[in-house]
Amino acid sequence: MGQIFEHLDKALKEYSSGDFYPMVLEAKKEYTILTGQINDDDDDYENRVNAFNDWYILQYIVPEFGSSVIEEYARKHALTDDLCKTLFHFNHSLFQYGGENFKKIKVIKDYLHHGHKLTLSNESPAPGLLKGDLFTGRLLDYKGERFLLTGLCILPKEMGSRLVSEACKVQRAGNKEFETNFLMKLEYFQTKWTRYSHLPPERIFQFME
């Protein structure tokens, strides 16, 4: 799996510096509109910066390319079909961390895709996660092993039932764009709640009926 993370790191470095620096600035503007402004003194700042990096590499459609950064990187560097399959078909979802099972294997539940329980590779990072945590993130599957990327947005546990209920509605719609919009909206709500943490989260996490 090391080569997957190596390619992600290389793609980020290649497409966020030099001639591509203005491109990443435009992407940051769009991301801020979608998810709100994060500050470097926020408790989850590192996770949220990583979440931007993951979104930028995997999901941001670059106008000059008409494709994502990772797709352009894969084309330019002639990545193998196995690598492309893993990098292009990631799982962006609302997850819950279940801790370790009796075999000491990390488990997560995927609420946007039929509520399936999924096991993670022993090498998979789980930055800052405690058992029961709800979070948005991206999961890669490479040769039967699953790995979380480090760009996570951890959500308030007390909103669990409402968020799961909304995820079920989104799942039934069966629309990938609808899923992505829902997940980005959750990040936006979390950013807003960080600014207004004196309010109960149900005042912030409001969904259209």
Side-chain angles (χ1 to χ4, degrees):
M1 191 63 186
Q3 61 181 318
I4 293 291
F5 288 101
E6 182 180 340
H7 282 301
L8 289 171
D9 288 342
K10 286 182 177 179
L12 180 61
K13 290 176 183 176
E14 182 173 339
Y15 289 95
S16 61
S17 59
D19 291 342
F20 296 110
Y21 185 65
M23 187 171 80
V24 78
L25 292 181
E26 285 302 310
K28 284 181 178 178
K29 289 179 185 177
E30 182 173 328
Y31 189 76
T32 299
I33 291 170
L34 292 171
T35 67
Q37 177 68 49
I38 60 173
N39 298 327
D40 57 11
D41 58 351
D42 291 341
D43 290 341
D44 61 349
Y45 178 74
E46 185 175 350
N47 278 352
R48 300 297 296 280
V49 168
N50 290 334
F52 165 74
N53 291 339
D54 294 344
W55 173 84
Y56 174 62
I57 292 298
L58 299 173
Q59 291 168 285
Y60 177 62
I61 302 301
V62 182
E64 292 89 336
F65 302 156
S67 65
S68 67
V69 168
I70 198 62
E71 287 170 333
E72 177 64 15
Y73 173 89
R75 182 198 62 76
K76 180 179 178 181
H77 295 278
L79 298 191
T80 65
D81 289 345
D82 279 350
L83 289 172
C84 288
K85 181 180 178 181
T86 294
L87 292 168
F88 298 171
H89 301 288
F90 55 91
N91 180 5
H92 186 199
S93 193
L94 172 66
F95 300 106
Q96 186 170 38
Y97 184 54
E100 294 183 350
N101 63 16
F102 68 97
K103 293 182 179 180
K104 302 297 182 184
I105 297 174
K106 299 171 191 156
V107 177
I108 60 174
K109 193 168 185 177
D110 180 353
Y111 282 114
L112 266 185
H113 305 108
H114 310 293
H116 289 162
K117 287 186 177 181
L118 305 171
T119 56
L120 301 177
S121 166
N122 288 333
E123 299 175 18
S124 175
L129 291 176
L130 300 174
K131 186 174 181 179
D133 277 347
L134 280 166
F135 63 97
T136 63
R138 295 161 183 86
L139 189 69
L140 297 180
D141 189 324
Y142 184 60
K143 296 184 177 180
E145 290 195 276
R146 300 183 189 89
F147 298 80
L148 275 176
L149 298 184
T150 55
L152 309 181
C153 178
I154 301 174
L155 303 164
K157 288 183 180 179
E158 54 266 52
M159 291 303 298
S161 59
R162 180 178 294 185
L163 298 185
V164 170
S165 175
E166 290 299 322
C168 289
K169 294 177 186 176
V170 173
Q171 176 190 312
R172 287 195 294 271
N175 184 301
K176 191 72 173 178
E177 184 177 355
F178 195 22
E179 288 184 6
T180 301
N181 290 343
F182 168 69
L183 294 166
M184 302 307 279
K185 179 63 75 174
L186 293 183
E187 288 199 43
Y188 172 81
F189 287 149
Q190 179 59 30
T191 304
K192 188 175 181 180
W193 191 48
T194 300
R195 304 289 164 262
Y196 299 97
S197 57
H198 60 285
L199 296 175
E202 55 267 22
R203 291 277 301 276
I204 303 296
F205 288 74
Q206 296 282 340
F207 299 93
M208 297 287 289
E209 294 297 334

